Amino acid sequence: MSPSTPRRDGSRLWPRTVRGRSAAAAALAMALVLAGGGGWLYVILRANLLDNANGRTELAAREVAAMADAGPLPSLLPAPRPGVDVVLVLDPRGKVVATSRPSAEPLARAFAALRPEPGEDATSKIVCCSRAMGKERGDVVVVRATPVPGEERYVYALTVLNDVDDATHAIALGLLGGAPPLIALAAAIAWAVTGMALRPVTAIRTELAAVTASELDRRVPDPAGGDEVAALARTVNATLDRLEQAVARQRQFVADASHELRNPVAAVRSQLEVALAAAARPDHRAGDGTACRNDCRADRATDRPTSGAVECPTSSAVRAALADTVRLQHVAADLLLLARLDARLPTGNGEPVDLALLAAEEAARRPATRVPLTVTAVAPAPMRGRTGQLERLVANLVDNALRHASAQVEVSVFLDGTAGQAVLEVADDGPGIAADQRERVFERFVRLDAARDRESGGSGLGLAIAREIAHAHGGSLVVASGGGGARLVARFPLPDGPVGQQPERRPGSL
């Protein structure tokens, strides 16, 4: 059997849940107990009834044998003791000497072969299905009598076992009839008791499932007592404490590192900008007061500095260093913002914000873009939030669209009156995002194949920051299907929930 081949055994019939397995185990145990106990009870009771019947039968036979030993017997014997049906006396040839029932010859012929062994005075046998007994079962006891003087006599006593059979049959029916309810009762009790025992586990599982990276302060309920479930709850809470502390240390490290990088990076940027601006001036001088030459082409041709001047820094190298510094500054700022968003600090209800106005202002700040940028908003889209973060969300989405668009970028803002949401859509006509990559693009430092160039692509944090901002405002950000390129849709709850009929524009369906 290969590892990929599923096992075909009886495990599929076994319940998957703990409650189901406990109920099934209790039912199986009850069935085994009833089978073993019921069988033992049936055998013991039947043996006891047979012993009692055999004892009465033998006692009746010995009473008649004592009469035979004392003297001649009448041909018609008195009725035997209660419970014994027939008593008859035969001579060694099998002839009836005396009987308690007339016309006992058929019984005599059926019992004549039953005699005590030599050296014994009595024996017994269970006779079944004899024609002389009407196809009934009976217990026959024969006792040897030796009258003085005279020949031996054999006293036979018969007890029909109908009462014994009826009693054992009733017991068997009672056990068989009572087994299913008892098994069901055991299963129900096990189901209920296991459910009560697992109720804290369900609460622990539910609360543990609600623990996310943004809600690490949640703890599972700690049930009272010192059982295994309480120990599990305390262990889980201790683990969550350590996890929260580790994540807090990590976030604090990222925030501290980003914060500490801002000042030196800003200083380096300022120095590079000053150096680049100074190098462009004709009267720029070096540190020793010597005038710098700006005719770099002549210098490259002669490969020697002109007398009375020193060579100036190469403008392209300064510009490249400045660009890298700006990029590093942006990455540090993004990391710091992500650390603050991860901390999920309470921000209150925020301030009134018009999402449509934010989109229009973002477009106004970009008068000359690589491809046309259009904003469509037929009505205001009011919401509450932090203006700075929402501006960053819009800017990141627009930056991403402009980076990948071929001919145009469309920004649409409208109200979804049914869901009570303000919707922001940013669509481009670029290569789009594959269906299996639509969640991966929101991971941090992730670039798809078309955006792996670090010079032209982003840092891989823009969409991650945008989604975190959307989540921080109770909204969502997804890559929607439809359209020729990529379409990112952000949704935010309206301040007062669902609104009435509002003008809407829906470029595509989610």
Side-chain angles (χ1 to χ4, degrees):
M1 180 181 295
S2 62
S4 59
T5 302
R7 297 180 59 186
R8 299 182 179 275
D9 51 22
S11 60
R12 294 183 180 179
L13 302 178
W14 194 248
R16 295 183 178 181
T17 63
V18 175
R19 294 184 72 182
R21 290 195 293 268
S22 299
L28 181 60
M30 178 60 73
L32 294 176
V33 169
L34 290 177
W40 176 82
L41 178 63
Y42 180 86
V43 171
I44 293 299
L45 183 59
R46 181 175 180 82
N48 183 266
L49 293 175
L50 288 176
D51 287 343
N52 292 337
N54 184 264
R56 292 194 305 270
T57 307
E58 184 177 356
L59 182 59
R62 289 190 180 278
E63 289 177 349
V64 175
M67 295 171 58
D69 290 340
L73 295 173
S75 59
L76 185 61
L77 298 174
R81 62 176 45 246
V84 179
D85 294 281
V86 179
V87 176
L88 67 155
V89 181
L90 303 182
D91 60 13
R93 294 174 296 276
K95 183 179 179 181
V96 178
V97 177
T99 179
S100 62
R101 176 190 297 179
S103 303
E105 285 77 7
L107 291 176
R109 289 192 297 270
F111 299 157
L114 180 62
R115 301 287 174 89
E117 295 293 333
E120 297 180 356
D121 65 340
T123 187
S124 64
K125 182 181 180 181
I126 302 295
V127 180
C128 178
C129 305
S130 173
R131 183 176 300 178
M133 297 174 55
K135 305 297 182 178
E136 293 179 336
R137 290 186 341 114
D139 183 20
V140 179
V141 176
V142 56
V143 177
R144 180 184 290 113
T146 307
V148 180
E151 60 182 354
E152 291 183 343
R153 300 286 187 264
Y154 296 96
V155 182
Y156 294 85
L158 170 65
T159 298
V160 178
L161 298 177
N162 287 341
D163 293 341
V164 175
D165 292 339
D166 291 342
T168 54
H169 183 68
I171 292 173
L173 289 181
L175 292 174
L176 293 177
L182 291 176
I183 293 173
L185 178 61
I189 293 175
W191 178 273
V193 172
T194 307
M196 294 176 61
L198 293 179
R199 190 174 302 160
V201 177
T202 302
I204 292 173
R205 178 183 60 82
T206 303
E207 190 65 23
L208 191 59
V211 175
T212 61
S214 60
E215 297 183 0
L216 288 175
D217 58 333
R218 303 187 67 155
R219 295 295 180 268
V220 301
D222 188 356
D227 57 3
E228 292 82 357
V229 177
L232 174 64
R234 286 189 284 270
T235 302
V236 170
N237 284 334
T239 303
L240 290 177
D241 289 338
R242 295 192 297 270
L243 179 61
E244 183 182 17
Q245 294 171 5
V247 173
R249 287 193 298 268
Q250 181 184 11
R251 289 174 178 172
Q252 187 63 39
F253 170 77
V254 173
D256 292 343
S258 302
H259 187 272
E260 292 299 327
L261 283 173
R262 294 178 68 185
N263 291 336
V265 171
V268 173
R269 177 179 178 179
S270 299
Q271 294 175 8
L272 290 174
E273 289 176 346
V274 170
L276 186 61
R281 294 201 305 269
D283 59 344
H284 176 63
R285 294 182 179 273
D288 58 357
T290 306
C292 292
R293 291 184 304 104
N294 294 317
D295 189 6
C296 297
R297 183 176 301 176
D299 292 341
R300 294 191 188 95
T302 60
D303 199 22
R304 291 184 306 176
T306 305
S307 60
V310 296
E311 197 165 11
C312 298
T314 304
S315 300
S316 61
V318 176
R319 290 192 181 92
L322 180 59
D324 289 340
T325 304
V326 172
R327 182 184 184 88
L328 180 59
Q329 190 176 26
H330 289 168
V331 171
D334 289 346
L335 289 175
L336 182 59
L337 178 57
L338 278 174
R340 290 173 177 172
L341 291 173
D342 287 340
R344 287 293 192 271
L345 298 177
T347 59
N349 294 328
E351 56 190 4
V353 181
D354 185 355
L355 193 59
L357 181 59
L358 292 182
E361 291 176 347
E362 181 63 30
R365 283 192 290 267
R366 304 170 185 264
T369 55
R370 183 178 62 85
V371 297
L373 171 62
T374 59
V375 177
T376 303
V378 297
M383 57 173 294
R384 299 190 70 89
R386 304 186 68 176
T387 304
Q389 292 185 3
L390 293 173
E391 287 177 347
R392 182 63 181 275
L393 179 146
V394 176
N396 285 5
L397 296 183
V398 172
D399 284 340
N400 180 78
L402 289 174
R403 186 178 298 115
H404 300 94
S406 299
Q408 63 176 351
V409 173
E410 295 184 0
V411 180
S412 305
V413 181
F414 59 88
L415 297 179
D416 186 347
T418 304
Q421 294 175 331
V423 183
L424 169 68
E425 291 187 0
V426 180
D428 63 69
D429 58 351
I433 302 175
D436 58 344
Q437 300 289 330
R438 290 178 180 174
E439 281 298 317
R440 186 168 174 266
V441 295
F442 294 105
E443 298 178 6
R444 300 173 185 185
F445 296 106
V446 169
R447 299 178 183 85
L448 302 184
D449 293 338
R452 289 188 179 275
D453 186 1
R454 292 183 177 270
E455 296 299 327
S456 61
S459 63
L461 295 174
L463 293 182
I465 291 175
R467 171 170 275 191
E468 291 295 335
I469 292 174
H471 289 172
H473 287 77
S476 63
L477 175 61
V478 297
V479 179
S481 59
R487 188 163 65 95
L488 284 85
V489 181
R491 291 178 171 270
F492 302 95
L494 295 176
D496 299 327
V499 298
Q501 295 296 327
Q502 298 284 350
E504 297 186 7
R505 179 183 182 275
R506 297 174 182 266
S509 60
L510 291 179

